[in-house]
Amino acid sequence: ARRIAGEIPDTVLLLEHAPVFTVGRARDAAANILDPGEAPVVEVERGGDVTWHGPGQLVAYPIVDLRDRREDLHLHMHSLEEAVIRLLADLGVPAGRDDRNTGVWLAGSKVCSIGIACRRWVTWHGLALNLEPAPHWFRRINPCGFDSAIMTRLADHLQPCPPLEALVQPLADHLADT
């Protein structure tokens, strides 16, 4: 609301969540929760299906006013993907897009989920990059409507996997450049 009112500039929050499953606005998204166990399930305003956030995952919440740019939500999501693709390229990890599915992909598996919300051309929510989360969390859901086997972690493709703290500033820089 403060960004819509012009009271604050574009802002990005970068963090690591305690374990939580979030349910987006996709039809029947809640049906993709198989066994949440002790983790809370929270309905959120973003698009998309169900996902998990928690330890070992770098989450970015860009709060961006698109009114001064091109008012194009697909371009905005493409920019979020591009920031992660560039970050991973800096690490020597070749990542890319899937023309049919949002997110960032590594060797046919999803390493980063993306989902946004928008009101009056101001976006929020964002992306979740899997660094080295415990794989059992994704087996409790059908992440983004897929079988959990589609999910991967940076740690499965790069050893040693950089710690979350080492990637916060580089991701912020790439988000600012896209």
Side-chain angles (χ1 to χ4, degrees):
R2 292 182 64 209
R3 183 65 190 113
I4 290 170
E7 296 172 2
I8 62 170
D10 287 348
T11 302
V12 64
L13 306 173
L14 293 144
L15 56 108
E16 182 179 43
H17 280 279
V20 62
F21 294 101
T22 62
V23 181
R25 294 177 300 178
R27 173 179 260 196
D28 298 324
N32 283 315
I33 300 169
L34 306 175
D35 177 18
E38 67 281 5
V41 176
V42 178
E43 290 186 13
V44 294
E45 293 179 302
R46 68 163 167 74
D49 211 293
V50 64
T51 196
W52 171 83
H53 297 305
Q57 186 182 67
L58 177 55
V59 179
Y61 293 102
I63 304 166
V64 178
D65 189 342
L66 298 179
R67 293 175 291 193
D68 294 334
R69 302 177 186 145
R70 188 167 167 200
E71 294 176 351
D72 184 333
L73 296 179
H74 291 286
L75 179 62
H76 176 64
M77 290 192 302
H78 185 84
S79 295
L80 298 177
E81 291 170 338
E82 186 63 27
V84 173
I85 290 168
R86 290 178 185 179
L87 173 69
L88 296 178
D90 291 347
L91 299 171
V93 178
R97 292 180 183 81
D98 178 322
D99 291 337
R100 297 163 309 202
N101 300 294
T102 303
V104 177
W105 299 76
L106 264 174
S109 297
K110 193 171 194 175
V111 70
C112 180
S113 299
I114 293 177
I116 64 167
C118 183
R119 184 176 299 130
R120 296 188 198 163
W121 293 109
V122 172
T123 67
W124 69 101
H125 287 284
L127 64 90
L129 175 60
N130 299 325
L131 301 178
E132 46 188 345
H136 78 274
W137 288 109
F138 288 109
R139 290 192 294 268
R140 294 179 177 201
I141 59 174
N142 292 323
C144 306
F146 293 107
D147 182 275
S148 64
I150 198 77
M151 301 305 287
T152 192
R153 315 170 307 163
L154 182 58
D156 296 329
H157 304 270
L158 179 66
Q159 286 296 323
C161 182
L164 183 142
E165 296 79 15
L167 298 179
V168 169
Q169 190 60 54
L171 180 56
D173 294 342
H174 285 297
L175 287 167
D177 289 342
T178 58

